[in-house]
Amino acid sequence: MVNLTIDNTQVTVAKDATIFDAAKSVGIKIPILCHDKKLHPFGGCRMCLVEVEQMKGRLIPACTTPVTEGMIVRTTTDEIVKARKLVLELLLLKHPLDCPVCDAAGDCDLQNLTYEYKVNCNQFSDEKFNHAIDYENPLIERDMNRCIHCGKCARICDEIVSYGAYTFINRGIEAKMGTPFDGPLSCEFCGSCISVCPVGALISRPFKFKARWWALNKVKSVCSYCGTGCQLTLGVKDNKVLTTVYDENQGFHNGQLCTRGRFAYQFVNSDNRLTTPLIKKNGKFVEAGWDEALKLVSEKLGAAKGSVGALTTAHLTNEELFLFEKLFRGTLGSDNIDHSAGYAHAALTEGAQKAFGTVTSPSEIADIQKTNLLLVIKTDAYETHPVLGFEINLGVKRQGVSLRIVSDKKGKISRLPGAKTSVHKPGTEIAFVNALANVIIAENLAVAGVAGLDQLKAALADYTPEKVAAVTGVAAEEIVALAKEYAAAEKALIMLPIGLGYPGHDAALAQAVANLAILTGRIGKEGSGLLIMGEKNNSQGAADLGIYPKNGGLKGAAIIDGAANGQVKALFIAGENPVVSYPNRKKVEAALEKAEFVVVSDLFLTETAQFADVVLPAVSFAEKNGTFTSVGRRVQQINKAVKPAGLAKSDFEILNDLNAALSGKRYGNVAEVFGEIAATVPAYQGLTLSGLGDEGAVLPVAPAAKLNAVAAPAVPAAAGKLALVTGSALYHSGTLSRFGEGPMYVCGDAYAELSEADAKALKIEEGDAITVKSDVGSVSLKAKVGKRLPAGVVFAPYHFADASINTVTDGAAVTLVTVGK
Amino acid sequence: MEQVLFRHNRPDRSVTFEEYCAEGGFDALKKALTAMTPDEVQQTVIDSGLRGRGGAGFPTGKKWSFVPRNLPGPRWLICNGDEMEPGTYKDRVLLEKNPFSLIEGVTLASYALGVRHAFIFLRRDYETAAANLQAGIDAAKKAGLLGERILGTEFSCDIDLHLSAGRYICGEETALINALEGKRPNPRQKPPFPAVKGLWGGPTVVNNVETLANVPAIIANGAAWFKGLARNPEGAGTKLFCVSGSVVNPVCIELPIGTPLREIIDQACGGLKPGKKFKACIPGGASTQFLSEAHLDVPMDFDPVVKVGSRLGSGAIIVFDEGHCLVEATLNLIKFFARESCGWCTPCREGLQFVKEILERIERGGGEERDLDLLRDHTRFLSYAFCAFAPGAMSPLDGLLANFEDEVREHITRKRCPLKG
């Protein structure tokens, strides 16, 4: 620790602190424009100049100068104030001062400091800039005339997003924040640059001219897309969510968001929202009142009783899922309840259950930056959970984490410094991971006394590096080297994304990777273990609350089948969209067509809702209260920001009403149900809603560690066929992001990505319309040609309703297809 | 007059490798590698009083001593040959005549510092110097004076010649390091200083061409000998002075440190051009303050020049006569600096542009009395910039206001440049 004096106040801080940090720690405010706590110090704006007695006469920047013992600092002298005023005057000289039409007004550091320093005239005068404004993309507007050259956009894009869309270009007064060759912006459109821009040089186009910043009601919430659990602040006016407001103090991610979090909130106030219950009469939907609709639904459910099938999305809150379970498993006595097609959660509900004795993974998000070696299963971890991808970037670039990736294709994270990607043949993940375990055991790298080691050794005897090399296409030496590196690391963390797009990331794969962590003694240690990344915002909650068959009931896809063969008499679907996201679209559609009675509660009249007999209008995360449990077991609260659309009700109300109508208990409110959860779900024990606060609470976990040998599935192959693998596109999450402006502007169509070699052989070029055909069906998609795919592999994201890829897939990890124009 | 740096020079061509060796070249390297420890080499340089010849005049041996001795991982030596200071051309002349002193000096410094791989960062326009250096490096390598196990000892060292993409800011040592890493040459924040964390994060020493070229002679002849070369008691060694402007014979000449300014102009350069009268000079390149006739007896050494309000800088003397307008001359320099500012920090990016505009106004005859205060403020506030570029850029203006304020005021009161019709 270092002792110093700032404005006559004694301060003690860590020795790597800067003067700015030290001042902040005792509440002394030093003005800044270019400094950001998440980024490396910059020192360019010269607003934070202070005087240090020991450096008599020279003003030095507080944000870049480290503290030294006995330093005597003054933060406000006449000379300092004059210097700061001069900086402001110089910045204002070229600045257009178009505050009345600038969206940043009210939230502008330059405006606020100009006010604070009373810069009411300028001793200088000069011509203004005349830079062309970049309107080329629909999300980020770049007006470099307003730029004050703080460089934060370039730094956040480089340091945290690891994209590098911006840099300084030109010299002297002509210097500006530019893009490659000064062209239009072409990037991931995460909008991180907008969030840190201290002025209005970078603004959100969807929010442009929507509201003054000070007129927004700011409501804290949690993003409802992926499982990362990013905290959000919704900017609300006139009962509409108009933007997300950046708050650098929110969440583990310090307010960082991805495209979905920042630009995909528009589904909340979409004109296409369902606003009234609908009942299908004579093949046509007719608007109905809630009483009529709920009466019909409760009658049908009550009649079907134990042969009810119930599917939900993991977008629902914990409290809603609790009621879902109470209604269907409790009141109606059916075990045919599930979510995520029954396979996309199996890594948790079966895999983790077998390996750790609990339906959660033992590690937390914070472990990503604390580890020494990250083993990521599939580069798609970046696409499925982009903000966890930022954590990977930071871990590798700031903390020196070694990144190793086992994947069927390369991806953005493959390009991080020192990253090594072992590209294996599609569908051979388990064989690969088993080979790693085989090497760890064979080389005596397993920790002493692991129970079940001998059985595992025997079971994996066939997974020698040489044999597995032949199966996976990865050289035996590479497998051995990776196994040794993994075992040798002091701390090692495995990341395994799961979801509807990844049928191969199942219970078996989860157990196979858990074996690695258990063999090397990584369970229950900081910075180590396994992080299973649930796809949806409340995937972990759905697992915790038992939304899966527990007593031999039908699983997700089987429930749909059951609706066709009469085993399921009534089908209730809450927010799930099986027609687009479950395997084999034709089969799902046929089943729903044949089903006796289908109820769908959703925000929109989805492709699945079209098949329903009754459609119930539900509400979004912004229209209700409750909790979500994210990857790494953090329980966080969402807060109602706007009134429900039309007559729409939350699933909480819908399920509560139905439960009461069917003689179940009626719960009072969200807090009461949360209390029930805390009382009945062991991990949630002792939690209270009010106790969660802004930070949320990380659920405790006491994982057991049990080795389970799993066999690698056979991988289909046929001459002349390509291997289709599905997954997430960077800009999308599930099927809900189709109702967000941002994702649809950037990535509006389904596509299939081909390797350059295959594209060349098939004479296909980027943007061509191609047909992808399998035994199950065929679909017409737009071609994308990428360097990242090995020959013989096709990748397609699953989010899109038109030309949905589940038209050709049937739930296998790999689908053999032919591709042609 | 004893010549150290120019000892091997031929009047019409570059010295050859064989000639350099025959005249005692690389004897210092042999002596150091066989009879001295790296610490002894460094101590000799410290004792010699050698100060950096690039402009700042920092004691060279002391700079070397900042490199932590026991850090694992590679450390680096960079020779800064990005000579772009207006008026400065000494390194070019040195390298065109003799690349070997620098090559030997870099190798000796690498030995002292424990550097395996050194870089020479050269201004792109210096094509002859580049060709000379590359041929010299190749010859030295062939003779076993560079590369693996030099002269059969445990010491190995290679030198890479890197041609700058060509911007003035690359001469700033941390910007140079960024440029060498392939990045935009913005200066880096200090601390950490390059000696602790520089090129690719490793300890790095950056020395000027002339500085390093002095090292072989220091090692060969000893610290006391080097100190004795100077004309003034506190000085050490010789200095290359490169003179331009209104003199009869603008030359690059090696003279003892401490030679009076008047002597350089009157004797070495043959005085002012016929019919011209001395008015002012810049003693050490564009980023030093103007000196007037009153300062002509100053000994040209670091501290004495500072005492009269300027800096020895690079030793580039630009001489102005009574016919030159110093407002215009200052404006010309400020235009250069405003253009070359990297644009990173507010005072430099915006402030220099503004100073340029005020000077333009004054030169045009549109200046006001308050402009003098504005300019004075800027000479102070621009010193709070991110790196030494802006304070350096303000030096000529500072000198103008200190020594020639009347000339500026005359522009303002007469509403025109008094030296133009």
Side-chain angles (χ1 to χ4, degrees), chain A residues 44 46 79 124 170-172, chain B residues 184 340-341 354 380 384-385:
Chain A
R46 314 314 269 183
E79 177 80 351
F124 315 130
N170 299 337
R171 283 170 292 159
Chain B
R184 181 182 161 92
E340 293 295 333
S341 163
F354 194 68
R380 192 163 86 254
Y384 305 144

Side-chain angles (χ1 to χ4, degrees), chain A residues 594-619:
Chain A
K594 277 178 84 174
E596 287 178 34
F597 184 74
V598 180
V599 193
V600 172
S601 76
D602 208 318
L603 309 183
F604 299 96
L605 193 62
T606 61
E607 295 71 19
T608 300
Q610 304 278 4
F611 289 89
D613 296 287
V614 179
V615 179
L616 304 174
V619 303

Side-chain angles (χ1 to χ4, degrees), chain A residues 257-324:
Chain A
L257 297 173
C258 71
T259 316
R260 312 159 192 167
R262 193 177 314 282
F263 291 123
Y265 50 81
Q266 297 89 348
F267 68 91
V268 174
N269 296 110
S270 166
D271 292 339
N272 296 323
R273 283 282 301 275
L274 290 167
T275 53
T276 176
L278 302 171
I279 296 175
K280 203 176 263 171
K281 292 177 179 164
N282 300 323
K284 275 195 164 169
F285 284 121
V286 178
E287 291 191 359
W290 275 105
D291 289 347
E292 185 190 356
L294 287 179
K295 186 160 174 280
L296 177 59
V297 172
S298 61
E299 276 171 17
K300 292 281 185 184
L301 295 181
K305 278 255 173 191
S307 49
V308 163
L311 292 170
T312 178
T313 170
H315 282 314
L316 266 53
T317 64
N318 284 321
E319 297 69 26
E320 289 168 339
L321 293 172
F322 177 86
L323 291 180
F324 187 87

Side-chain angles (χ1 to χ4, degrees), chain A residues 41-46 49 57-59 64 66 79 82-83 86-87 90-91 93-94 123-126 129 148-149 167-173 175, chain B residues 167 184 186 189-191 338-347 349-351 353-354 357-358 361 370 374 377-378 380-387:
Chain A
F42 186 74
C45 75
R46 314 314 269 183
L49 294 173
R58 242 190 105 216
L59 303 186
T64 59
E79 177 80 351
K82 203 173 168 192
L86 183 94
V87 166
L90 287 171
L91 290 173
L93 192 53
K94 293 272 181 188
Q123 56 182 320
F124 315 130
S125 64
D126 199 4
F129 286 122
I148 58 162
H149 302 77
T167 180
F168 272 93
I169 56 174
N170 299 337
R171 283 170 292 159
I173 196 71
Chain B
R167 285 275 72 96
R184 181 182 161 92
N186 291 325
Q189 123 210 359
K190 292 188 264 191
R339 190 187 76 217
E340 293 295 333
S341 163
C342 80
W344 178 277
C345 70
T346 314
R349 181 184 64 242
E350 317 271 342
Q353 170 74 9
F354 194 68
E357 280 164 20
I358 298 175
R361 192 156 74 209
R370 77 174 191 114
L374 272 178
D377 272 357
H378 271 77
R380 192 163 86 254
F381 286 113
L382 262 65
S383 71
Y384 305 144
F386 187 83
C387 74

